[in-house]
Amino acid sequence: MKVAAEGCNLLLLFITSYLSLISGLGVHSLSYDHSATTKCLAEPRRAQYGGGIIVNPGFDHNIEGWTVFGKGAIKERISNGGNRFIVAHNRTHPLDSFSQKVQLKKGMLYTFSAWLQVSEGSDTVSVMFKTKGSKMVRGGQVIAKHGCWTLLKGGIAANFSSPVEILFESKNSNAEIWADNISLQPFNKKQWRSLQDASIERVRKRKVRFQISHVNETALIGAKVITRPIKLNFPFGCGMNHHILTNKDYQSWFVSRFKFTTFTNEMKWYSTEKKQGEENYTIADAMLKFTKENGISVRGHNIFWDNPKLQPEWVKNLSPEKLGEAAAERMKSVVSRYKGELIAWDVMNENLHFHFYEDKFGENASAAAYATAYELDQEPKLFLNEFNTIEYSGDEASSPAKYIKKLQEILSFPGVSGMSAAIGLQGHFASGQPNLAYMRSGLDLLATTGLPIWLTEASVDPQPSQAEYLEEILREAYSHPAVEGIIMFSGPAQAGFNATTLADETFKNTPAGDVVDKLIQEWGTGPNIATADNRGIVDISLHHGDYDVTVTHPLIHSPITLNLCVKKDFSLETIHVKMRA
């Protein structure tokens, strides 16, 4: 933080910090700061929320409030431009750093951010929360570099009330860790939900005004405006498996709810070519026929899977030369077969956790696969599909920083120019309270790419609070401005969905199924009926999409019908409806 030169600036800084502190305690209303960058900057940006509950976040008061963690030493340093920051030096262990104790409160969500730099090269730096009993919880990580400042953004969901110690980890213990403008901002559940609702209203909906009058300009008080969605612009769908072909109840259950899907296994290589040279697309073709007949859009899943254990058995022991031939045939076969039929492809599945093809063909194997898929079919969005990027802060392999790095490698490869790339986040949440603060910070960072983000396989492990947690996760995704679609990997018990089951063996909703149906209704699929006020005016907030509109009045025998398209850039204009008796 720059040194304040005048007393009035110091007073303003004090007032700002104080207001930020009381807002964090719930006294003052608070907005969420979505700002993020993955660029490495010459100077760090200001601390979000004025530092929140962090003491001395910008090191204006030397290193007051900060102590040494582990061995080594800490000190303040001032850049040539006058910027003050903290340094951990003489380190011998990855966790040797600086720390500050804060009090966490059960049920609260805490968003974290800090600007980091290392004294040499580059290294992954993580923020760690040390709880009672010396348990370490990773709250986020960034690839920090020497010579510029990089933003670490993360968070923690407190499932306990306890003091915790905030510290940092860098596995290169020879390098110093530098930090500035550190922030920890608490939100209670009511605040978080209010922010979600406000975001949904802002990014998913638009206000529409109807002026209902008689042809003689008299306002028609009590007129009814009924809006029925024909097509909504936000894809909210569900995985589908082969049971849909033979189970009429499953068909009815699915078609009445969803217009987007992903086949869970039926397009995968191990399903379509169990024996080398014997391709069989019968099931996938039949499922695609069913979806076309019912107006359901399909994401292709997947062309390749980088997990060595999940190759077709005959593929696992092929020589690199023979594997290259087989992979080329697989790519050409499946992409060409479904050209023009799919809205997306997961090209190289779980490419951050596994590297079967890279081990065989070299580090550009996945990027080459995207280039070839794009050459064969230019229309679908081509996804990098991965797990634990937003679900679990402890998985270093697929953190938002690592995801973006891999994405940049793919997008810099020859042959992908013009490719419609997209970010696929599986969203498989394990047991326990979901860390929505980490999830949102991850979405903020990924949004800096400017690419569309989808939750592609959203699910929640069985547990007593499964339905509650499923709603929290789906609502969090839907409310984020950068998310453009959600597909759940869930369904009815009769189709074998035993993890996130939405309907039991009799197709009666489970609690999770009730949540999904509630959100489907809330997010605009049902009819909306509104009544004109004493001016004949009806104001309705509608989700983006196409609508059939019917206007009726008790004294008017013939209703008025019209079509309405509510777009993201739709501006509030009055739609005049004149009715004749």
Side-chain angles (χ1 to χ4, degrees), residues 283-312:
I283 295 174
D285 287 352
M287 291 173 67
L288 194 60
K289 180 175 182 291
F290 170 81
T291 57
K292 288 175 68 175
E293 289 172 348
N294 289 280
I296 299 167
S297 298
V298 180
R299 295 184 69 259
H301 178 72
N302 49 58
I303 300 175
F304 295 115
W305 199 340
D306 231 359
N307 189 335
K309 295 180 180 179
L310 293 168
Q311 308 302 318

Side-chain angles (χ1 to χ4, degrees), residues 36-40 145 150-151 400-401 404 408 444-446 448-449:
T37 182
T38 55
K39 295 179 180 178
C40 207
K145 301 175 182 178
T150 309
L151 176 67
I404 292 170
Q408 289 170 341
D444 290 345
L445 289 165
L446 293 163
T448 64
T449 64

Side-chain angles (χ1 to χ4, degrees), residues 150-166:
T150 309
L151 176 67
L152 187 159
K153 197 170 186 182
I156 186 171
N159 54 11
F160 52 81
S161 292
S162 169
V164 301
E165 200 165 0
I166 301 173

Side-chain angles (χ1 to χ4, degrees), residues 441-562:
S441 70
L443 292 171
D444 290 345
L445 289 165
L446 293 163
T448 64
T449 64
L451 298 176
I453 299 172
W454 285 52
L455 262 65
T456 55
E457 305 177 20
S459 68
V460 177
D461 283 357
Q463 56 194 294
S465 299
Q466 182 186 50
E468 174 191 348
Y469 293 160
L470 179 64
E471 179 172 0
E472 289 181 0
I473 291 158
L474 295 177
R475 194 178 293 280
E476 182 63 38
Y478 187 70
S479 68
H480 197 282
V483 175
E484 295 190 10
I486 301 172
I487 304 289
M488 300 175 292
F489 264 27
S490 54
Q494 277 199 26
F497 290 95
N498 298 319
T500 307
T501 307
L502 302 183
D504 65 17
E505 292 288 349
T506 65
F507 280 89
K508 179 183 178 182
N509 266 11
T510 63
D514 284 339
V515 161
V516 171
D517 281 355
K518 180 181 78 170
L519 292 178
I520 287 173
Q521 182 68 23
E522 182 182 326
W523 293 346
T525 59
N528 186 311
I529 304 174
T531 304
D533 62 16
N534 57 9
R535 300 167 298 164
I537 290 176
V538 171
D539 287 326
I540 308 177
S541 184
L542 295 173
H543 292 259
H544 303 155
D546 298 333
Y547 293 83
D548 280 337
V549 180
T550 303
V551 184
T552 65
H553 190 276
L555 301 180
I556 306 296
H557 298 298
S558 300
I560 299 291
T561 60
L562 56 112

Side-chain angles (χ1 to χ4, degrees), residues 284-410:
D285 287 352
M287 291 173 67
L288 194 60
K289 180 175 182 291
F290 170 81
T291 57
K292 288 175 68 175
E293 289 172 348
N294 289 280
I296 299 167
S297 298
V298 180
R299 295 184 69 259
H301 178 72
N302 49 58
I303 300 175
F304 295 115
W305 199 340
D306 231 359
N307 189 335
K309 295 180 180 179
L310 293 168
Q311 308 302 318
E313 284 299 320
W314 59 270
V315 164
K316 294 178 181 179
N317 296 316
L318 292 177
S319 67
E321 181 183 359
K322 293 296 183 183
L323 177 61
E325 294 172 0
E329 184 56 37
R330 157 65 179 175
M331 170 73 77
K332 181 180 178 182
S333 173
V334 72
V335 176
S336 300
R337 185 180 194 88
Y338 296 121
K339 183 175 182 177
E341 306 283 350
L342 307 176
I343 61 171
W345 266 118
D346 293 328
V347 178
M348 186 69 80
N349 201 41
E350 299 176 358
N351 198 203
L352 290 166
H353 282 93
F354 307 108
H355 39 81
F356 175 78
Y357 291 93
E358 287 81 356
D359 288 345
K360 300 287 187 179
F361 303 137
E363 62 182 14
N364 289 324
S366 55
Y370 282 85
T372 304
Y374 178 57
E375 182 183 359
L376 291 168
D377 190 355
Q378 287 78 46
E379 293 305 314
K381 286 183 169 61
L382 301 182
F383 280 77
L384 176 62
N385 195 46
E386 193 52 81
F387 65 91
N388 278 353
T389 301
I390 56 171
E391 301 98 305
Y392 178 50
S393 59
D395 192 338
E396 298 180 63
S398 58
S399 69
K402 296 282 182 68
Y403 190 109
I404 292 170
K405 183 174 183 288
K406 184 67 177 182
L407 196 59
Q408 289 170 341
E409 291 172 4
I410 293 169

Side-chain angles (χ1 to χ4, degrees), residues 20-302:
S20 177
L21 175 61
I22 62 174
S23 68
L25 297 175
V27 178
H28 186 72
S29 62
L30 191 69
S31 61
Y32 176 81
D33 189 345
H34 280 287
S35 66
T37 182
T38 55
K39 295 179 180 178
C40 207
L41 306 180
E43 295 289 349
R45 294 177 181 170
R46 62 175 178 79
Q48 293 188 326
Y49 314 103
I53 60 174
I54 294 293
V55 174
N56 193 21
F59 305 98
D60 295 292
H61 307 288
N62 203 280
I63 57 173
E64 179 184 329
W66 296 89
T67 58
V68 174
F69 185 88
K71 299 179 180 179
I74 63 173
K75 62 183 178 182
E76 182 191 45
R77 191 172 291 168
I78 305 175
S79 72
N80 293 335
N83 185 57
R84 298 176 181 268
F85 56 94
I86 194 169
V87 174
H89 59 105
N90 294 340
R91 301 172 58 245
T92 59
H93 186 274
L95 290 173
D96 288 346
S97 64
F98 29 79
S99 69
Q100 184 172 134
K101 287 185 178 179
V102 297
Q103 176 71 35
L104 297 191
K105 183 179 178 182
K106 185 176 182 179
M108 300 283 282
L109 293 163
Y110 294 82
T111 64
F112 179 86
S113 62
W115 289 87
L116 292 158
Q117 189 172 163
V118 289
S119 62
E120 59 182 45
S122 67
D123 193 34
T124 299
V125 179
S126 301
V127 60
M128 310 294 288
F129 295 88
K130 179 178 174 288
T131 66
K132 288 194 304 184
S134 297
K135 180 182 178 183
M136 292 284 187
V137 178
R138 181 172 280 104
Q141 61 179 246
V142 71
I143 302 172
K145 301 175 182 178
H146 175 59
C148 55
W149 295 92
T150 309
L151 176 67
L152 187 159
K153 197 170 186 182
I156 186 171
N159 54 11
F160 52 81
S161 292
S162 169
V164 301
E165 200 165 0
I166 301 173
L167 59 136
F168 296 85
E169 177 191 59
S170 168
K171 292 186 171 65
N172 179 11
S173 55
N174 292 320
E176 297 175 350
I177 303 174
W178 304 357
D180 197 6
N181 294 344
I182 301 169
S183 173
L184 186 70
Q185 177 61 50
F187 296 85
N188 61 41
K189 286 189 174 180
K190 184 177 180 181
Q191 288 173 322
W192 200 264
R193 175 62 184 272
S194 176
L195 291 168
Q196 288 175 332
D197 290 344
S199 182
I200 289 171
E201 194 68 31
R202 185 174 65 256
V203 303
R204 304 291 177 215
K205 303 174 75 176
R206 283 293 179 269
K207 283 186 169 55
V208 183
R209 169 169 289 182
F210 294 88
Q211 172 73 64
I212 317 299
S213 64
H214 193 273
V215 289
N216 64 9
E217 305 295 337
T218 305
L220 286 175
I221 303 168
K224 302 287 186 186
V225 176
I226 306 165
T227 55
R228 293 183 174 86
I230 305 168
K231 179 183 178 183
L232 294 175
N233 291 353
F234 186 90
F236 180 50
C238 191
M240 174 191 294
N241 65 27
H242 63 92
H243 291 281
I244 201 85
L245 299 175
T246 56
N247 190 320
K248 297 292 185 183
D249 291 333
Y250 183 18
Q251 293 176 8
S252 299
W253 178 89
F254 196 102
V255 170
S256 66
R257 287 168 172 81
F258 304 111
K259 290 297 181 183
F260 293 85
T261 193
T262 302
F263 301 165
T264 56
N265 286 299
E266 288 76 9
M267 283 187 177
K268 292 173 181 172
W269 197 3
Y270 61 59
S271 295
T272 62
E273 195 175 0
K274 294 179 181 179
K275 292 184 179 181
Q276 187 171 11
E278 296 181 14
E279 292 184 330
N280 187 343
Y281 289 98
T282 305
I283 295 174
D285 287 352
M287 291 173 67
L288 194 60
K289 180 175 182 291
F290 170 81
T291 57
K292 288 175 68 175
E293 289 172 348
N294 289 280
I296 299 167
S297 298
V298 180
R299 295 184 69 259
H301 178 72
N302 49 58

